[in-house]
Amino acid sequence: MAFASPISPSCSLHNLSSNPFSKHNKILILNKIQPFSLSHRHPFFRVDCGSRWQGKDSLNYSLSSSVTSADILLDEAVEKTQFPKGDTWSIHKFGGTCVGTSERIRNVADIIVKDESERKLVVVSAMSKVTDMMYDLIDRAQSRDDSYVTALDAVLEKHKLTALDLLEGDDLANFLSRLHQDINNLKAMLRAISIAGHATESFSDFVVGHGELWSAQLLSAVVRKNGLDCTCMDTREVLVVNPTSSNQVDPDYMESGRRLEKWYSHNPCNTIVATGFIASTPQNIPTTLKRDGSDFSAAIMGALFRARQVTIWTDVDGVYSADPRKVSEAVILKKLSYQEAWEMSYFGANVLHPRTIIPVMVYDIPIVIRNIFNLSARGTMICRPAGCENENGQRMESPVKGFATIDNLALVNVEGTGMAGVPGTASDIFGAVRDAGANVIMISQASSEHSVCFAVPEKEVNAVAAALESRFRQALDAGRLSQIAVIPNCSILAAVGQKMASTPGVSATLFNALAKANINVRAIAQGCSEYNITVVIKREDCIRALQAVHSRFYLSRTTIAMGIIGPGLIGGTLLDQLRDQAAVLKEKFNIDLRVLGITGSRTMFLSNTGIDLSIWRDLLREKGEKADMQKFVQRVHGNHSIPNTVLVDCTADSYVASYYHDWLRQGLHVITPNKKANSGPLEQYLKLRALQRQSYTHYFYEATVGAGLPIVSTLQGLLETGDKILRIEGIFSGTLSYIFNNFVGTRAFSEAVKEAKEAGYTEPDPRDDLSGTDVARKVIILARESGLKLELSDIPVQSLVPEPLKASGSAEEFLLQLPQFDEDMAERRQEAEAAGEVLRYVGVVDVVNQKGTVELRRYKKEHPFAQLSGSDNIIAFTTQRYEKQPLIVRGPGAGAEVTAGGVFSDILRLASYLGAPS
């Protein structure tokens, strides 16, 4: 059964001859013979959309008619119309979203009318969802599902209602007449498909192309209604493409150029609305440019017209540096080179059709991506690199322009010693993949030729594996190939930038960022052009990896997810400091610290986006839930949109410290003033430090020794630069420093202790300070940093708590009974003063003799340790370099503000390590 295609899917004919053998009637006869060829039209048939149909020289008919000499002369005169190629033309392409409703079609018409270009061609897609509806019609008909009839009625109703809202008078009547004619023809065709149970590609292309025809008719009519002369182009009359075996088409630019000149000679107009997506084969059979082909249509037209610019209107502000759904800080790139846009579109950036760039690149025609819903946005311009340099709109020039990802992939690894040096192995591998009908996304091969791996869509990997095992069965059995392995659940991350080719260290920066985010790279590929670096990673790591590399190349803030454990005095002070400094860190230092969780021993509060630190106490008290450390860590670390996570332990709890090893192993960074981990059992400490050195996770603990003083970092700096530590001696307790600085004259020791507690310098129970255990922990930390393998029990500690009071009741009872023992301490003070000395409670690390001590010592009044005031700490480093005059670090060593400040400093140090500007 043969069905005539519509006489004019975009136009209706007038003034037809009543002669049954007129040219029009010959068209109908020919259409019955060649149902899917574009019909021959007489050059003078007038059309409603303001265009004329051209003759098709490629068609031969068996019928003839008389043509007057006047017709021939007039035809030749029209064909001599000069086609004005060049910069006077601008090309606009409007996607389906842009023309999705009648109101949006009006907006598009308004943009066209206001465009001041001398000449303009507008390529238009089908209305939003219509192409999907048309494909659905074919699927239903092929399945012999009679519901295609009601589905087609829905298509009719959608366009009918749109036309009733937009048009009136003759324009409305003509459009509805054509629409009903098209629907009737489609209904007959779909019935034929339903009977056959199958639709050829030609049938499918013919059906789905109607969406573009209808939207072009509507838009051209509205433009004319707005007072601008406009003609309508059915691009099947002009664009000629050759279908390929890869579900793509190759434009025939020479033939298309000839047809365009001929078409324009019959339809000279400065404003043309053309159908996107559809074209014809050299045999004049309707076809399409395949899915998302309207961008391609616009680019081809830009090349044919030698246009000044091609503007692609869509629903986004331009090309982003990364998918904004995955990277909230992604930025609009003001300019891209053709090569960069090409790479990004291939790797999943969905703004452009991957082949759109090719036609315009030949003639240096810029492409501009703009948002029809945000006309104030300048969009992204794609052009030659020379025109793009130094104008990318970034605060810093980055060699990487953007990042793209492809998900749902599998990695196939073909491995074996028998592959090395054997010609044709790669050909056999990829021949088998081709036979399986799979698309290879990325290829990587070791230079030893021992293995080849490649990525394919996950849905195709089983067929690929089966094809490879079949092709290489003999090699596998003989042992020449050791395995054909499939690694599922993969994603590809690509870094794209033309300046990568001339910038050393880009790869190092990329892989360093991935390593610091604890991302394992499974495969790597980079072409010699160096325009992109491609890595294969686990699918669950994709968003975190994208965030990490995006942040590292200064395209967004260095974002760190934070969990605060212990919102007591130090933790609470830290949260307040974070609150006060957050805006400055974002604006001046490009650092975004997001507290996603706060937990105490009983209650915790969690947030997916970040806790409002101005009301954190209220949130924890009123909306907190029962504390659960496992859930807390999972929620803080489980936000895959933030690549880096740090847990800040502000407790003094050995139970919390016991988690550090597991947290570091999971890729979480740890920062703490808690001394329990580093002063606990030596074996656990050594395991913790070994793990830290082996991984890219960071463990910072500056505040464990000197609160806000740089004691640990100073020691590490001396060791890293090759100095040898001989002795570390210091007043490590701000509390005991305060007590002995005020234990002068006739003052009682108990009075000094009571004053220190009232000033907030002591622990709730002052015995925790006077016992010397806290100083001993600091000594053991510094001893271990210096290379000594000592246990806490190896450190002799002189306690200042009188023996009878060690086991007494509460802190209050202790303070009441302490004056009974003032005489002993007063005698020590008097002896020291008589010798011109002062009492100081110190810790000593004797590296030479490999021991440590904590005790009350006497120092001459001119000694630096005797010059302290308030709660200052002082630490003297005696080393090979500083042997005659020790290196001294001095400053406040007690109080929540300085301790929280030390922790905050470690957090910023971590941010710097993770890529924040330093």
Side-chain angles (χ1 to χ4, degrees):
M1 181 181 294
F3 292 89
S5 59
I7 295 173
S8 167
S10 60
C11 312
S12 64
L13 309 179
H14 294 276
N15 302 323
L16 301 177
S17 168
S18 59
N19 181 351
F21 293 101
S22 70
K23 295 179 179 66
H24 174 53
N25 291 337
K26 283 187 287 187
I27 292 169
L28 296 179
I29 295 169
L30 283 167
N31 279 337
K32 290 180 181 178
I33 298 170
Q34 281 187 298
F36 296 108
S37 66
L38 290 177
S39 305
H40 178 85
R41 274 89 174 180
H42 191 283
F44 299 122
F45 288 161
R46 298 293 301 179
V47 297
D48 283 338
C49 61
S51 66
R52 298 183 177 93
W53 291 100
Q54 67 192 56
K56 289 289 184 293
D57 296 337
S58 59
L59 294 179
N60 299 313
Y61 351 120
S62 57
L63 301 177
S64 63
S65 67
S66 60
V67 180
T68 66
S69 59
D71 286 342
I72 295 172
L73 290 173
L74 205 52
D75 189 28
E76 290 175 351
V78 171
E79 290 193 2
K80 288 180 181 178
T81 302
Q82 184 67 35
F83 175 45
K85 294 182 182 179
D87 287 351
T88 59
W89 287 97
S90 65
I91 310 294
H92 295 268
K93 179 264 174 177
F94 294 93
T97 308
C98 300
V99 291
T101 65
S102 55
E103 185 58 35
R104 291 180 181 179
I105 292 174
R106 286 192 188 95
N107 292 340
V108 169
D110 190 51
I111 290 172
I112 296 169
V113 172
K114 290 180 179 178
D115 179 9
E116 296 179 355
S117 302
E118 184 178 344
R119 297 182 177 90
K120 46 214 168 191
L121 178 129
V122 179
V123 177
V124 65
S125 299
M127 293 180 70
S128 179
K129 307 298 182 184
V130 167
T131 300
D132 289 336
M133 295 171 75
M134 302 305 280
Y135 276 115
D136 180 59
L137 290 173
I138 297 167
D139 291 341
R140 295 186 188 212
Q142 287 184 126
S143 304
R144 294 173 175 164
D145 181 352
D146 291 341
S147 65
Y148 74 81
V149 177
T150 56
L152 183 60
D153 289 340
V155 173
L156 168 65
E157 190 67 13
K158 180 181 180 74
H159 290 86
K160 180 180 177 181
L161 291 175
T162 304
L164 289 169
D165 192 27
L166 289 172
L167 307 178
E168 55 191 22
D170 291 343
D171 284 337
L172 175 61
N174 291 333
F175 175 80
L176 292 178
S177 174
R178 290 193 301 272
L179 178 63
H180 283 287
Q181 180 184 353
D182 290 343
I183 293 295
N184 289 334
N185 285 332
L186 287 171
K187 198 169 291 185
M189 185 170 288
L190 290 168
R191 182 169 178 272
I193 292 172
S194 179
I195 292 170
H198 174 70
T200 65
E201 186 175 358
S202 298
F203 271 73
S204 298
D205 287 346
F206 181 76
V207 171
V208 299
H210 278 74
E212 277 69 21
L213 293 165
W214 294 326
S215 62
Q217 294 162 18
L218 287 167
L219 179 59
S220 59
V222 175
V223 171
R224 286 195 305 277
K225 183 179 176 182
N226 288 355
L228 186 66
D229 187 25
C230 176
T231 192
C232 176
M233 175 192 288
D234 178 350
T235 48
R236 296 178 303 182
E237 299 272 318
V238 173
L239 291 189
V240 179
V241 296
N242 293 297
T244 68
S245 58
S246 56
N247 197 33
Q248 292 183 339
V249 294
D250 292 329
D252 184 338
Y253 289 100
M254 188 170 293
E255 178 60 24
S256 297
R258 281 197 291 266
R259 293 193 181 190
L260 175 60
E261 290 192 11
K262 194 167 186 179
W263 184 93
Y264 190 83
S265 69
H266 295 296
N267 305 276
C269 190
N270 287 342
T271 302
I272 302 170
V273 175
T275 55
F277 182 55
I278 57 177
S280 64
T281 68
Q283 295 76 36
N284 298 308
I285 297 173
T287 188
T288 68
L289 302 184
K290 311 311 172 189
R291 279 286 193 169
D292 302 315
S294 292
D295 290 350
F296 197 18
S297 297
I300 296 169
M301 285 298 186
L304 293 175
F305 279 77
R306 307 293 192 270
R308 173 180 56 82
Q309 178 175 294
V310 174
T311 302
I312 296 179
W313 295 87
T314 180
D315 56 358
V316 294
D317 286 343
V319 180
Y320 283 87
S321 55
D323 188 339
R325 295 168 298 182
K326 298 177 180 179
V327 182
S328 59
E329 292 85 6
V331 298
I332 297 293
L333 299 170
K334 291 189 176 181
K335 291 198 175 181
L336 285 172
S337 71
Y338 293 120
Q339 288 81 3
E340 288 166 340
W342 196 341
E343 295 282 356
M344 290 190 71
S345 64
Y346 176 79
F347 284 105
N350 60 2
V351 176
L352 287 175
H353 184 277
R355 301 187 71 190
T356 301
I357 298 99
I358 301 172
V360 295
M361 189 166 61
V362 177
Y363 299 103
D364 286 349
I365 300 169
I367 300 176
V368 178
I369 312 295
R370 292 197 62 190
N371 189 350
I372 192 169
F373 305 116
N374 183 14
L375 298 181
S376 62
R378 293 176 56 189
T380 299
M381 176 175 282
I382 300 167
C383 58
R384 284 276 173 205
C388 298
E389 291 179 358
N390 301 320
E391 294 186 47
N392 67 354
Q394 303 303 307
R395 287 184 291 274
M396 295 186 67
E397 182 69 17
S398 172
V400 178
K401 278 292 183 70
F403 302 91
T405 58
I406 304 176
D407 295 324
N408 302 316
L409 300 177
L411 201 60
V412 180
N413 185 43
V414 182
E415 187 176 311
T417 55
M419 294 171 58
V422 179
T425 302
S427 175
D428 289 342
I429 291 172
F430 294 110
V433 176
R434 178 201 60 211
D435 294 343
N439 179 34
V440 176
I441 308 295
M442 188 210 79
I443 303 169
S444 180
Q445 180 179 15
S447 57
S448 64
E449 301 182 50
H450 178 69
S451 67
V452 175
C453 69
F454 53 92
V456 297
E458 201 158 31
K459 62 184 179 182
E460 300 173 355
V461 72
N462 290 335
V464 168
L468 288 171
E469 287 174 1
S470 175
R471 178 70 63 91
F472 292 101
R473 173 50 53 200
Q474 184 177 355
L476 287 165
D477 293 342
R480 294 194 304 276
L481 287 186
S482 57
Q483 66 170 346
I484 297 172
V486 173
I487 305 172
N489 302 318
C490 293
S491 292
I492 277 180
L493 168 65
V496 175
Q498 194 154 347
K499 288 193 175 182
M500 289 164 55
S502 58
T503 306
V506 174
S507 296
T509 303
L510 177 76
F511 292 118
N512 186 256
L514 292 172
K516 287 181 176 179
N518 205 36
I519 306 294
N520 181 48
V521 176
R522 289 176 163 175
I524 305 164
Q526 180 179 15
C528 62
S529 68
E530 299 184 57
Y531 290 161
N532 88 69
I533 302 171
T534 305
V535 298
V536 180
I537 56 180
K538 291 181 182 177
R539 183 164 56 203
E540 58 264 31
D541 291 338
C542 184
I543 295 177
R544 194 154 47 92
L546 189 60
Q547 282 271 353
V549 296
H550 195 270
S551 296
R552 187 63 185 87
F553 283 92
Y554 298 96
L555 292 172
S556 68
R557 300 185 184 96
T558 298
T559 306
I560 302 175
M562 298 177 61
I564 307 297
I565 303 167
L569 185 60
I570 293 173
T573 305
L574 174 63
L575 286 164
D576 292 340
Q577 290 178 354
L578 289 168
R579 173 200 65 204
D580 296 339
Q581 197 66 8
V584 175
L585 290 174
K586 284 184 182 180
E587 184 176 345
K588 292 188 176 180
F589 300 98
N590 220 25
I591 298 171
D592 186 2
L593 302 176
R594 298 187 192 175
V595 178
L596 301 186
I598 302 171
T599 183
S601 58
R602 297 184 180 88
T603 310
M604 67 180 182
F605 182 75
L606 300 166
S607 169
N608 291 325
T609 56
I611 296 172
D612 183 352
L613 295 185
S614 65
I615 55 171
W616 71 264
R617 289 180 177 85
D618 296 335
L619 292 172
L620 185 63
R621 182 177 60 255
E622 297 171 8
K623 297 185 178 180
E625 56 185 286
K626 184 179 179 182
D628 181 331
M629 187 62 73
Q630 184 176 0
K631 180 180 179 181
F632 177 82
V633 174
Q634 286 177 345
R635 284 285 298 276
V636 173
H637 187 46
N639 191 326
H640 293 300
S641 65
I642 302 177
N644 302 294
T645 304
V646 60
L647 296 175
V648 183
D649 174 20
C650 295
T651 72
D653 195 332
S654 57
Y655 172 73
V656 176
S658 68
Y659 282 106
Y660 292 0
H661 189 274
D662 288 338
W663 291 344
L664 290 170
R665 195 174 57 192
Q666 294 173 42
L668 288 85
H669 309 286
V670 177
I671 293 173
T672 184
N674 185 347
K675 292 176 277 292
K676 297 297 174 63
N678 283 14
S679 62
L682 178 62
E683 184 182 357
Q684 293 182 16
Y685 166 81
L686 294 175
K687 284 175 61 179
L688 193 63
R689 293 304 308 275
L691 178 62
Q692 179 193 9
R693 285 190 291 269
Q694 292 166 7
S695 69
Y696 278 88
T697 47
H698 297 283
Y699 172 43
F700 294 150
Y701 43 88
E702 184 69 73
T704 58
V705 176
L709 296 179
I711 306 301
V712 175
S713 58
T714 298
L715 175 57
Q716 290 173 341
L718 291 170
L719 292 169
E720 289 166 2
T721 57
D723 203 353
K724 184 177 181 180
I725 308 299
L726 303 177
R727 181 184 180 88
I728 304 171
E729 186 175 0
I731 298 172
F732 293 103
S733 169
T735 302
L736 294 174
S737 176
Y738 182 88
I739 290 172
F740 282 99
N741 285 335
N742 289 278
F743 181 45
V744 293
T746 60
R747 197 167 198 190
F749 183 71
S750 60
E751 289 180 14
V753 173
K754 183 178 180 182
E755 181 181 318
K757 186 177 190 310
E758 290 172 349
Y761 287 121
T762 72
E763 294 293 332
D765 189 336
R767 283 172 293 188
D768 293 339
D769 297 294
L770 296 173
S771 68
T773 304
D774 185 67
V775 176
R777 289 188 180 279
K778 295 178 180 180
V779 168
I780 202 72
I781 290 170
L782 294 179
R784 290 173 175 178
E785 287 289 323
S786 302
L788 303 184
K789 294 183 178 180
L790 299 177
E791 294 282 5
L792 185 61
S793 58
D794 296 330
I795 307 294
V797 179
Q798 180 183 355
S799 174
L800 299 180
V801 180
E803 192 66 33
L805 299 184
K806 287 183 178 178
S808 66
S810 66
E812 288 73 18
E813 291 176 359
F814 165 75
L815 289 172
L816 287 173
Q817 297 177 38
L818 184 60
Q820 300 173 20
F821 302 88
D822 281 343
E823 186 176 345
D824 178 57
M825 194 63 70
E827 287 179 3
R828 295 187 193 184
R829 180 182 62 193
Q830 289 171 3
E831 290 174 3
E833 288 177 348
E837 296 173 339
V838 296
L839 295 175
R840 294 293 182 260
Y841 195 80
V842 297
V844 179
V845 179
D846 186 348
V847 179
V848 175
N849 296 307
Q850 298 191 354
K851 66 179 184 178
T853 57
V854 176
E855 60 188 1
L856 186 64
R857 286 190 175 185
R858 289 159 45 173
Y859 292 90
K860 293 293 183 180
K861 290 185 177 180
E862 58 271 17
H863 192 280
F865 286 15
Q867 310 299 317
L868 295 184
S869 62
S871 62
D872 280 4
N873 283 2
I874 186 168
I875 293 90
F877 294 93
T878 303
T879 72
Q880 281 186 340
R881 294 177 190 160
Y882 299 95
E883 188 170 6
K884 293 182 179 180
Q885 185 172 352
L887 173 65
I888 291 182
V889 179
R890 172 180 171 175
E897 287 289 336
V898 293
T899 304
V903 176
F904 200 166
S905 179
D906 271 349
I907 294 170
L908 296 181
R909 180 179 165 205
L910 173 65
S912 177
Y913 279 32
L914 296 176
S918 57

